[in-house]
Amino acid sequence: DLIAHMRDSGQSEQRVLSNALVMFLAGSDSTTHTLMWLIYNLGRHPRVQETLRDEVATVLRANDGRLTSQALH
């Protein structure tokens, strides 16, 4: 994995941890922006929001109230 590779290449533990933190924060930041954009657009398009709500409710009913990755495929 990437962190083991960085550590094995002679980089300090502090540098490995710093890089891991940057990767984590960058990933969560883009996820946050994507979710904000999704919520914004669902608010602007109520019919799409209703269709999505109905689809999620159907999946939940079919899977005993659980939303799993398999249920979404």
Side-chain angles (χ1 to χ4, degrees):
D1 74 8
L2 180 60
I3 293 175
H5 173 73
M6 290 173 65
R7 186 179 52 236
D8 294 343
S9 69
Q11 296 187 35
S12 71
E13 183 176 341
Q14 179 63 38
R15 179 153 181 160
V16 171
L17 291 174
S18 295
N19 284 327
L21 181 61
V22 166
M23 287 186 278
F24 173 75
L25 292 176
S28 65
D29 189 46
S30 60
T31 300
T32 301
H33 286 128
T34 301
L35 290 173
M36 287 173 44
W37 186 246
L38 170 70
I39 292 167
Y40 169 78
N41 277 296
L42 287 174
R44 290 185 43 106
H45 303 281
R47 284 184 284 183
V48 174
Q49 184 181 50
E50 185 177 340
T51 301
L52 178 60
R53 185 182 303 120
D54 292 344
E55 187 173 334
V56 169
T58 299
V59 169
L60 288 173
R61 278 192 302 274
N63 291 285
D64 299 320
R66 291 174 299 170
L67 194 58
T68 65
S69 58
Q70 279 187 328
L72 296 177
H73 289 285

